[in-house]
Amino acid sequence: MGVPPGASKAELCAACADAKAKGNAAYAQGDLEAALKHYEEALVHWEAALAPPPPSHEVNTRVRYSKHGFGMVMSVFPMFDEYFLKDLGTDSAIWAGEPGGQLKRYEAKELRPVSDELWELRFTITQNLAAVCLKRNEYSDAVEWADAALSMDGKAPKALMRLGAALLRLGKPGPASDRLAEAAKAMPKDVELRKLLREAEQKRSPTWVCASGCCGPWGIVCGGPVSEAMPEVVKPRVRTEAERKALDEDQETFQAEGSTSAGQAAEDEFSNSQNSSRSDIAEIRPQAEGADAESSEGCQVPEEHAVVDEPPEKLTSRPSCPPLLAAASAATAAFVVAIALQFRSG
């Protein structure tokens, strides 16, 4: 591989960078076979340049905890040899089981620190390997290398685009469009990306609708121009001062006319109800007066019972006068009927 046995970490890091540069040159010339060879050689040097696990780690140290797993040390307990990480691919805590349960504990020997230089080298190499595999139509390998880059930065737009393109070629338009739409948020003007995204959307299920509701069978794509997604909202026209004054005057006139007509209608209805009540009373009154006349003729109160200052117990013993009571009842009924008619009409 061009590096003598026993080379220092600095020499191994320099050899990794040199192999990466050779891979870039070969890719630019279209020599995909040579580019693939140089990038794989660079990764071998990278593994050798990686420092061994130290006795302990500090907070905010970037580490590799598995082959394609990278995290940030968030909490340290050196006395108990316990370290808790945040995964850099998902930007979330690493759990021992279900999320929200217990955090996964790591020992110091399981974590290998990654310097900034080595971090940038590996991230670039994995992205470039995904691009080479895409050009060589090796889509499964392209997915693997794109995932390897995303394990270091889950929002890397180029890695997301290459992952989406590989998934699309593997016949998975749904997952492909999800990754491509995420990449489009960071690179909305990338022509190749938008072409891939539209192709993935067209191949999705005809009943699919994205979580935001802007993508679906109608072919609208997340991150696209607003004019393609929906018509522009028309702002309401602002009235001038003269138009507002004219409108206020019209409303005042309408309210005045409405209240006048309503009052006149109520007055007419009340007048009609009074006339109707009078006519009903006029029809009933002669009958009541005739009944009073008949009762007065047939009921003569004797002189001995004409005293009105007697106690109540004596007044109750007076003889009753049925004709007079009947006439009074008829008059009362007529009065009640008249009042009821008046209330009903009102």
Side-chain angles (χ1 to χ4, degrees):
M1 295 293 181
V3 178
S8 65
K9 299 298 179 183
E11 292 175 339
L12 290 170
C13 188
C16 177
D18 182 63
K20 180 182 80 72
K22 292 178 179 179
N24 291 345
Y27 183 84
Q29 296 174 1
D31 190 351
L32 300 179
E33 188 70 29
L36 181 63
K37 178 182 177 180
H38 289 304
Y39 287 140
E40 290 177 344
E41 178 185 351
L43 283 180
V44 173
H45 295 318
W46 188 91
E47 290 287 346
L50 197 61
S56 63
H57 300 275
E58 296 181 356
V59 176
N60 294 330
T61 301
R62 279 188 299 203
V63 296
R64 187 174 78 163
Y65 61 87
S66 65
K67 181 180 179 181
H68 291 306
F70 293 85
M72 182 77 71
V73 178
M74 303 303 295
S75 300
V76 298
F77 298 92
M79 182 179 298
F80 304 100
D81 194 21
E82 291 182 348
Y83 300 87
F84 299 92
L85 310 180
K86 178 181 72 172
D87 184 77
L88 294 175
T90 61
D91 195 29
S92 60
I94 302 176
W95 304 92
E98 293 294 329
Q102 291 187 352
L103 293 169
K104 185 174 178 58
R105 294 172 169 83
Y106 290 91
E107 298 179 1
K109 64 181 181 181
E110 299 179 88
L111 308 176
R112 302 186 68 176
V114 183
S115 65
D116 291 343
E117 184 180 7
L118 287 176
W119 181 273
E120 292 297 332
L121 281 172
R122 189 181 193 279
F123 181 66
T124 305
I125 292 168
T126 52
Q127 286 198 109
N128 292 349
L129 278 168
V132 171
C133 292
L134 274 176
K135 291 283 188 178
R136 290 164 56 90
N137 298 329
E138 298 171 351
Y139 304 122
S140 297
D141 291 339
V143 170
E144 179 182 354
W145 288 118
D147 280 334
L150 292 170
S151 68
M152 303 179 73
D153 182 359
K155 297 182 179 180
K158 288 186 178 180
L160 286 168
M161 182 179 71
R162 288 161 189 172
L163 175 60
L167 291 171
L168 182 59
R169 298 297 174 254
L170 289 172
K172 300 178 181 180
S177 64
D178 292 339
R179 272 61 170 194
L180 293 169
E182 189 69 22
K185 295 179 182 179
M187 302 189 302
K189 297 182 180 181
D190 190 283
V191 178
E192 182 182 0
L193 174 57
R194 294 194 58 80
K195 182 180 178 181
L196 289 169
L197 183 53
R198 289 191 179 278
E199 181 182 351
E201 292 294 344
Q202 292 173 357
K203 293 181 178 180
R204 290 199 80 148
S205 170
T207 60
W208 173 84
V209 178
C210 74
S212 61
C214 62
C215 300
W218 45 88
I220 301 171
V221 178
C222 291
V226 176
S227 60
E228 295 182 10
M230 61 185 68
E232 183 180 359
V233 178
V234 179
K235 296 181 179 180
R237 186 177 65 87
V238 180
R239 294 190 179 94
T240 62
E241 187 66 25
E243 290 176 338
R244 285 198 295 269
K245 288 183 178 180
L247 181 61
D248 293 341
E249 292 176 357
D250 292 341
Q251 289 180 347
E252 292 176 358
T253 304
F254 176 77
Q255 293 175 355
E257 293 177 354
S259 60
T260 303
S261 60
Q264 185 64 36
E267 184 177 353
D268 294 343
E269 184 176 357
F270 179 73
S271 177
N272 293 335
S273 65
Q274 283 188 328
N275 294 335
S276 176
S277 300
R278 291 194 186 96
S279 62
D280 294 337
I281 294 174
E283 293 178 0
I284 296 173
R285 184 176 294 172
Q287 300 176 5
E289 291 177 352
D292 291 343
E294 292 177 359
S295 62
S296 61
E297 292 177 359
C299 182
Q300 298 295 330
V301 181
E303 293 181 359
E304 61 269 25
H305 297 291
V307 182
V308 296
D309 292 333
E310 292 181 355
E313 58 272 13
K314 291 186 178 181
L315 289 176
T316 56
S317 62
R318 293 178 181 177
S320 61
C321 187
L324 181 60
L325 292 175
S329 300
T332 302
F335 180 76
V336 171
V337 170
I339 294 300
L341 291 172
Q342 182 174 357
F343 273 101
R344 186 176 63 182
S345 60

